Amino acid sequence: MTATPLSSSRGAAAMCVLLLIFFLAPTVAASSVPSAETFDGSCIADEREALLSFKAGVTSDPSGWLRSWRGKDCCRWYGVRCSARTGHVVKLDLRNRFFMDDLSSDEVPVPVRWLQGQISSSLLALQNLKYLDLSGNILGTNMPIPKFIGSLKSLTYLNLSCMNFSGRIPPQLGNLTKLVYLDMNNKYLNSHAYSSDVSWLGSLHSLEHLDMSGVDLSAVAHWVHAVNTLPNLKVLYLSYCILNSSTASLLHNNLTVLEKLDLSDNPFNSPVAPNWYWDVTSLKSLDISFCGLSGPFPDELGNLTMLEALNMGWNDIKGMLPATLENLCSLRIIYFGGNNIGGDITDLLDRLPKCSWNNLQDLYLDEANITGTTLKSVLNFTTLSTLDVSDNRLSGSVPLEFGTLQNLTELYIGNNSFSGVISEEHFAGLVNLKYIDLSNNHLQVLVDSDWEPPFNLNGAYFSSCHMGPQVPNWLRWQKNIIALQLSDAGLVGRIPDWFWTTFSNVKLLDLSHNLISGELPLNLEFMSVEFLHLQSNQLTGSLPRLPRGIKLLDISKNSLNGQLPSNFGAPFLQVALLFSNSIPGIIPESICRWPQLRVLDLSKNQLSRGLPDCGNNELKHWNQSTNNSSRVNSASSYNMEIRILLLNNNSLSGGFPLFLKQCKNLRFLDLTLNKFSGQLPSWINEDMPSLVMLRLRSNNFSGHIPIETTSLFSLQILDLANNTFSGVIPQSLKKLKAMTTTDVALNEFDNPFEQVYYTAYGFTSTRDMLFNDSLSLVTKGQVLNYRENAIFVISIDLSCNRLTGQIPKEIGSLHGLINLNLSSNFLVGNIPYKIGNLQSLESIDLSNNQLSGEIPWCLSNLTSLSYLDLSYNKLSGRIPSGHQLDILRTDDPASMYIGNPGLCGHPLPKACPGDQPAAQEDPFRWHEDDSTRMDFHLGLTVGFLVGLWIIFCGLLFKKTWRYAYFSLFDKLYDKVHVFSILTWQRFRKAGTN
């Protein structure tokens, strides 16, 4: 066959290619295979040494991930991957996938699965490394991201998130021009990573994923423009970055493929529109929650026609949804809660795009000020998985048709005003239901005793729903529940035996505010419960052995009458509230084995004797019984973590408890109404330096008040009343720094009232439980309950003791003082004039002392004063008046000053020297006024008679006067006579006509 020109040319070309491959093959092989000096068939020796140097920088490997890092074949080590072609290490993945679990774990003081140490610069030898993931390991504590990472120029994937880096983000990361994925998320740790210039981002043209959440970018002025230089960016997460503005406009939008944008939790505090992201029409997910955005929902929402997930929750957006939403047909997830939408829920749901009704899965409208009397519009969303309309103003009944929403997994309608009965028909088709919240409505759940629900719940919240009188039998089928709230549910009688085993895996269990009686099981150790609420019932007996993992126990306001067990268990307990019971006996030494205990309230019981010392012997026993001896290094370093200790209203005795020497972090201490005695120790300021409240009222303490108490710089409440303290009041009161200012709010991260526990099954807070009625202060002449508001009270009460000497002048420096009670002592001298500087004072009681001198006039300037008692002293002089003093005790103002014979002036009946007597108080003044009026009338009568007599005598003896008088009289008579005749004639003529 004769070859064509085309076929011959193809053959020649093929021959050239073969010849080229033949000559170049040795060169290619030499360049692609490492030399014999560095490649031994397993991995490159230099790179293996670099990895071993990295391992040497890891000081803790609790999970043993690096135990396999031995031998020559580093390519088989955990987390290491090599190129099959070249042998170079191309991937190092040591990510701690359990980081979030470790972070929330309280089982040991330090989470056990993350690596600790530092990142060795030996990684620079891995120049072919493309994938580096060290996230979730504490390898950057108190240090910035190493600059040398910017020299690993082959990297396409870099994840340094959750590593506790601090300091400046190195701009050298801009050298990693091949990066496709960059994650420096730092928001889950209390670190201080920051950047004041992100212009280096402009070099990362290939970047598709950027997460800098938790990095402080507050100093970056034009961050939007820097991000806009990334044309391939698909994912951008910048939450918790302290960004100050998002209102920048873009002349040219390069973010044409951006799909996910998270700007949540930034203090924008600006109108929600205009904003640059409303023009990014490629967005599928937008999160701008918790940003302080205001104004109405913007019409520009209609531009984002590809949106699938929209979160605008927890801002200050007001008004109804715009009509422009009709084109958002892809919406699946909507968060609008925490805004002020207002209006009727039916109107609101009708404004959601109808084209998305068959796609919508999650709808969050909680705390949105929504009204309405029906939820029937919800039935249009047949694919709905989550519905949250809790914390609104909805009312009416719950539609029976809810039972047809077969896809519904989470239903939250709590904290509204729904009423009526929830029956089996409501649940008929809810086969996928996992979480339900009907709490705090006016609902009754009424089903048959043998009813078997079609669902298997994980969380059930029925607070304030009528479920009783017995614990509902259908709950025994819900063995997967991890959160169960049945508080104020009308439950009466004993808890059935099946209850504890059925809910052995529950984490949050709330049976409070019912009429549950009987005793608890002797042992609850088999349960997994972490938060157990049993308060305000009628439980009797003893406290059982507690679940090992329990963190919060509230069994207050019951009728427990058994002694506290010698071994509670519960090594991770943080809050124990047992007040208002009838618990007798002693406080056992087992509380020393609660190393994480923060709050202990045993007030209003019948406890006796003292507190355990928790000394070296007890500590040694605890160390031997634990599997982790590293928790405590030595007995001398052992400290309790207690912040709040309330033991008031018991019969405890002995000296000031040595137990408190172990409580370095104690804030609130209340030993009121016990039988403690002896002197206060001088170590009180050294071993309890953070005390905010010290209440020792109504005990038998004696001796001098230690001067060291004035070194408690955080002290706001000092109550030593009803003891037998003697001596003088310490002079150095101005050292009580917390009392010298009106800014008394505790640091929000250190406020023991703000302990909030959050988990996947919900949250609980100690704020609403602490104290209840167990903390009261005597002020303004009465007992007032302050509860958690005690942190805003500044009070000194030293009343009913045997204190002598004068009131220190330094008391005038305590500008934050609200209550001052020094009554019923033996104080002498004058009331300090500088007490008038205490503008915050609301109550002053100095009664029943031996104070002398005048009452300072400056007291009238205390505009906040509402209670004053200076009775039964030796005060003298005029009582000051004016301003606030004139409106105190208006029913009996004199009672403030009685018992001071030397006082005078209003409101006492005793007048002061030089005062003008009051008219109404002089009986002789009335007689004097009567005689004066009598003389006036007598003179007037005599004058009239004398005048009349003079005229009569003149007419009698003066002829010319008589002629003139009678001539005038005759003329006047003639005029009157003629006038009357003429008038009569006119009248008659008018009558005849």
Side-chain angles (χ1 to χ4, degrees):
M1 181 182 294
T2 305
T4 64
L6 180 60
S7 62
S8 61
S9 64
R10 288 179 175 173
M15 183 62 70
C16 291
V17 170
L18 290 174
L19 290 173
L20 184 61
I21 292 175
F22 177 78
F23 286 111
L24 294 180
T27 305
V28 172
S31 63
S32 61
V33 179
S35 65
E37 295 179 356
T38 60
F39 181 60
D40 60 1
S42 55
C43 71
I44 299 172
D46 291 344
E47 295 184 352
R48 180 174 62 248
E49 293 303 318
L51 291 174
L52 291 175
S53 296
F54 171 84
K55 178 182 179 180
V58 176
T59 58
S60 176
D61 178 18
S63 295
W65 293 335
L66 305 184
R67 290 175 186 170
S68 66
W69 285 28
R70 61 183 63 182
K72 292 185 177 182
D73 193 359
C74 67
C75 296
R76 296 181 179 272
W77 293 354
Y78 175 86
V80 180
R81 294 293 179 271
C82 299
S83 170
R85 185 172 60 89
T86 67
H88 286 295
V89 175
V90 294
K91 183 176 182 178
L92 180 58
D93 185 359
L94 296 176
R95 177 186 181 188
N96 176 18
R97 290 166 176 81
F98 307 101
F99 171 75
M100 293 307 299
D101 294 336
D102 291 344
L103 194 65
S104 60
S105 174
D106 289 316
E107 293 187 1
V108 289
V110 178
V112 296
R113 283 173 286 198
W114 52 36
L115 301 175
Q116 296 185 69
Q118 295 183 356
I119 301 176
S120 172
S121 59
S122 63
L123 293 182
L124 278 173
L126 308 179
Q127 283 299 310
N128 290 277
L129 195 64
K130 295 182 179 181
Y131 189 107
L132 177 60
D133 190 342
L134 302 175
S135 60
N137 294 293
I138 308 302
L139 297 173
T141 303
N142 299 323
M143 60 182 298
I145 295 175
K147 296 179 181 179
F148 68 80
I149 291 181
S151 299
L152 301 174
K153 296 185 179 181
S154 296
L155 282 177
T156 60
Y157 184 102
L158 178 60
N159 192 342
L160 302 176
S161 62
C162 303
M163 296 184 65
N164 206 29
F165 284 116
S166 296
R168 183 175 178 234
I169 301 295
Q172 287 83 358
L173 295 180
N175 297 330
L176 305 178
T177 56
K178 295 181 181 180
L179 269 185
V180 175
Y181 187 103
L182 176 58
D183 191 344
M184 296 181 287
N185 185 332
N186 218 21
K187 69 180 181 181
Y188 298 110
L189 296 169
N190 187 24
S191 57
H192 303 282
Y194 71 92
S195 180
S196 56
D197 181 13
V198 292
S199 59
W200 52 270
L201 287 173
S203 303
L204 309 180
H205 297 296
S206 300
L207 200 62
E208 297 180 4
H209 182 109
L210 175 61
D211 189 348
M212 296 181 68
S213 299
V215 177
D216 184 354
L217 301 179
S218 58
V220 180
H222 304 292
W223 64 271
V224 177
H225 296 283
V227 169
N228 194 45
T229 61
L230 305 174
N232 295 306
L233 199 61
K234 294 181 180 179
V235 176
L236 177 61
Y237 296 145
L238 295 176
S239 63
Y240 290 96
C241 288
I242 322 180
L243 298 171
N244 295 318
S245 175
S246 67
T247 57
S249 59
L250 298 176
L251 296 178
H252 180 68
N253 178 22
N254 291 324
L255 302 173
T256 56
V257 296
L258 187 63
E259 296 181 356
K260 295 182 179 180
L261 176 61
D262 185 354
L263 299 175
S264 61
D265 293 278
N266 281 294
F268 293 141
N269 300 319
S270 61
V272 68
N275 266 305
W276 62 274
Y277 41 77
W278 300 125
D279 296 323
V280 184
T281 56
S282 57
L283 281 177
K284 294 183 179 180
S285 175
L286 174 62
D287 189 346
I288 50 175
S289 58
F290 296 96
C291 287
L293 299 173
S294 58
F297 285 94
D299 292 335
E300 291 86 344
L301 260 174
N303 298 337
L304 309 182
T305 56
M306 300 181 67
L307 264 187
E308 298 177 3
L310 174 61
N311 190 349
M312 301 177 67
W314 306 100
N315 285 291
D316 190 26
I317 302 174
K318 299 178 181 179
M320 194 55 71
L321 302 179
T324 55
L325 262 65
E326 61 184 7
N327 295 324
L328 275 61
C329 298
S330 299
L331 275 179
R332 295 183 296 105
I333 301 172
I334 299 176
Y335 289 81
F336 285 154
N339 288 292
N340 189 12
I341 297 177
D344 189 90
I345 189 170
T346 301
D347 185 21
L348 173 61
L349 296 179
D350 285 343
R351 287 175 178 257
L352 295 177
K354 292 180 174 56
C355 56
S356 70
W357 284 7
N358 293 328
N359 299 320
L360 197 62
Q361 297 177 3
D362 299 336
L363 179 59
Y364 294 86
L365 300 172
D366 50 313
E367 290 193 48
N369 193 27
I370 301 172
T371 60
T373 58
T374 179
L375 291 177
K376 287 191 175 182
S377 296
V378 175
L379 303 175
N380 295 322
F381 306 96
T382 55
T383 58
L384 205 60
S385 174
T386 301
L387 174 65
D388 189 348
V389 292
S390 59
D391 296 277
N392 280 292
R393 295 186 292 145
L394 301 170
S395 59
S397 60
V398 180
L400 290 173
E401 294 83 356
F402 260 59
T404 64
L405 298 176
Q406 296 184 0
N407 295 310
L408 202 63
T409 59
E410 300 182 31
L411 174 62
Y412 306 102
I413 63 172
N415 294 297
N416 281 287
S417 298
F418 291 112
S419 59
V421 175
I422 300 295
S423 65
E424 299 172 14
E425 193 172 352
H426 285 88
F427 301 125
L430 303 182
V431 294
N432 294 305
L433 194 65
K434 296 299 181 184
Y435 294 90
I436 184 170
D437 181 4
L438 306 179
S439 59
N440 299 315
N441 283 287
H442 309 289
L443 296 169
Q444 179 181 7
V445 180
L446 188 60
V447 297
D448 291 339
S449 59
D450 58 351
W451 177 64
E452 294 186 20
F455 45 72
N456 200 342
L457 296 175
N458 296 131
Y461 306 90
F462 295 119
S463 297
S464 300
C465 294
H466 186 73
M467 306 279 288
Q470 304 299 320
V471 175
N473 194 56
W474 64 268
L475 286 174
R476 67 189 310 167
W477 303 102
Q478 306 301 303
K479 296 184 179 181
N480 292 330
I481 283 185
I482 56 176
L484 177 62
Q485 287 187 338
L486 295 174
S487 63
D488 191 21
L491 303 181
V492 179
R494 300 178 65 91
I495 301 174
D497 294 337
W498 59 260
F499 184 89
W500 304 106
T501 54
T502 298
F503 299 115
S504 60
N505 294 320
V506 74
K507 299 293 185 180
L508 169 64
L509 179 59
D510 188 350
L511 297 173
S512 62
H513 299 278
N514 285 290
L515 296 175
I516 298 172
S517 57
E519 298 184 3
L520 295 172
L522 295 177
N523 192 340
L524 294 178
E525 271 193 309
F526 62 92
M527 297 189 71
S528 300
V529 65
E530 296 180 6
F531 308 100
L532 181 59
H533 302 268
L534 298 171
Q535 69 269 28
S536 299
N537 279 288
Q538 298 175 357
L539 294 169
T540 57
S542 301
L543 191 69
R545 189 173 176 86
L546 299 174
R548 177 173 175 80
I550 193 169
K551 299 176 184 176
L552 185 150
L553 170 67
D554 189 351
I555 196 169
S556 60
K557 295 186 177 180
N558 276 280
S559 301
L560 297 181
N561 52 9
Q563 296 188 9
L564 295 176
S566 59
N567 189 354
F568 288 94
F572 311 120
L573 190 66
Q574 296 185 30
V575 177
L577 307 177
L578 290 86
F579 64 87
S580 296
N581 280 283
S582 300
I583 300 174
I586 64 173
I587 300 175
E589 290 187 349
S590 55
I591 68 168
C592 302
R593 296 191 287 274
W594 287 347
Q596 299 187 43
L597 189 65
R598 303 295 194 273
V599 180
L600 178 60
D601 189 345
L602 291 169
S603 61
K604 296 185 178 179
N605 279 288
Q606 299 174 14
L607 298 168
S608 58
R609 295 173 60 179
L611 278 77
D613 290 346
C614 290
N616 294 351
N617 292 334
E618 178 62 27
L619 176 63
K620 182 177 180 180
H621 171 75
W622 181 74
N623 272 331
Q624 292 174 350
S625 64
T626 181
N627 294 326
N628 188 358
S629 60
S630 64
R631 294 184 188 179
V632 181
N633 295 325
S634 65
S636 60
S637 65
Y638 174 61
N639 287 314
M640 300 288 288
E641 292 295 328
I642 294 179
R643 267 70 166 171
I644 299 174
L645 179 61
L646 307 179
L647 301 174
N648 50 291
N649 296 72
N650 280 285
S651 297
L652 297 169
S653 59
F656 193 79
L658 293 176
F659 169 84
L660 299 175
K661 288 181 69 70
Q662 315 292 341
C663 303
K664 302 289 185 181
N665 297 311
L666 193 63
R667 304 290 192 272
F668 287 75
L669 174 63
D670 193 344
L671 303 180
T672 297
L673 283 165
N674 279 287
K675 299 178 181 179
F676 289 108
S677 59
Q679 299 185 6
L680 295 189
S682 58
W683 48 259
I684 195 168
N685 65 316
E686 295 181 0
D687 292 295
M688 295 185 291
S690 301
L691 268 184
V692 173
M693 181 183 80
L694 176 61
R695 298 192 72 224
L696 307 178
R697 186 184 192 91
S698 301
N699 279 283
N700 297 316
F701 288 113
S702 59
H704 293 259
I705 298 175
I707 192 172
E708 287 82 4
T709 56
T710 61
S711 297
L712 295 169
F713 300 138
S714 300
L715 195 65
Q716 295 175 196
I717 299 175
L718 176 61
D719 188 349
L720 306 180
N722 293 321
N723 283 282
T724 56
F725 288 109
S726 58
V728 299
I729 299 174
Q731 302 293 310
S732 52
L733 294 177
K734 60 183 179 181
K735 294 172 65 176
L736 296 169
K737 296 299 182 183
M739 295 190 182
T740 62
T741 175
T742 57
D743 184 16
V744 299
L746 296 176
N747 185 301
E748 62 178 333
F749 300 109
D750 196 32
N751 186 346
F753 297 95
E754 293 291 348
Q755 292 181 350
V756 177
Y757 306 91
Y758 178 79
T759 62
Y761 46 84
F763 70 90
T764 185
S765 169
T766 62
R767 180 170 189 171
D768 297 328
M769 297 179 293
L770 280 177
F771 296 141
N772 291 309
D773 60 351
S774 63
L775 175 62
S776 59
L777 297 178
V778 178
T779 181
K780 301 181 182 180
Q782 55 186 325
V783 179
L784 299 179
N785 291 326
Y786 280 89
R787 300 185 182 181
E788 72 271 13
N789 291 326
I791 62 174
F792 302 111
V793 176
I794 298 181
S795 172
I796 293 180
D797 191 343
L798 306 179
S799 61
C800 301
N801 280 287
R802 300 175 182 175
L803 299 175
T804 57
Q806 298 185 355
I807 300 175
K809 296 180 181 179
E810 287 79 6
I811 204 166
S813 62
L814 306 182
H815 298 288
L817 200 61
I818 293 176
N819 175 55
L820 176 62
N821 191 344
L822 304 178
S823 63
S824 300
N825 280 287
F826 301 97
L827 300 175
V828 297
N830 297 332
I831 299 174
Y833 185 82
K834 289 186 177 181
I835 202 170
N837 298 335
L838 307 183
Q839 291 297 314
S840 297
L841 267 179
E842 298 178 8
S843 175
I844 304 176
D845 191 346
L846 305 178
S847 62
N848 292 283
N849 278 288
Q850 298 176 15
L851 300 173
S852 58
E854 296 185 348
I855 300 174
W857 282 84
C858 56
L859 289 181
S860 61
N861 297 326
L862 300 178
T863 55
S864 299
L865 195 64
S866 59
Y867 181 87
L868 176 65
D869 192 349
L870 303 178
S871 61
Y872 299 101
N873 278 285
K874 298 179 180 180
L875 299 172
S876 59
R878 184 186 298 276
I879 296 174
S881 61
H883 300 293
Q884 200 72 10
L885 294 181
D886 291 343
I887 61 174
L888 297 179
R889 294 202 191 182
T890 53
D891 57 334
D892 186 15
S895 62
M896 297 185 292
Y897 308 107
I898 61 174
N900 291 279
L903 289 179
C904 61
H906 181 75
L908 296 178
K910 180 181 179 181
C912 294
D915 286 350
Q916 293 294 329
Q920 65 273 21
E921 296 175 358
D922 189 354
F924 299 103
R925 182 66 179 270
W926 292 105
H927 298 294
E928 182 180 345
D929 290 344
D930 290 344
S931 61
T932 302
R933 285 193 288 269
M934 184 179 298
D935 292 344
F936 171 76
H937 290 299
L938 180 61
L940 183 63
T941 302
V942 172
F944 175 77
L945 294 175
V946 170
L948 183 62
W949 178 251
I950 291 173
I951 295 173
F952 176 77
C953 291
L955 294 176
L956 182 63
F957 297 105
K958 271 294 216 184
K959 181 188 289 187
T960 54
W961 284 19
R962 287 199 305 272
Y963 286 159
Y965 172 77
F966 287 111
S967 175
L968 179 62
F969 183 81
D970 289 340
K971 290 180 180 181
L972 181 61
Y973 173 78
D974 290 341
K975 288 183 179 182
V976 173
H977 178 72
V978 173
F979 177 76
S980 59
I981 295 293
L982 293 174
T983 302
W984 173 252
Q985 290 179 350
R986 292 194 191 101
F987 179 74
R988 288 184 61 188
K989 288 181 180 181
T992 56
N993 292 334

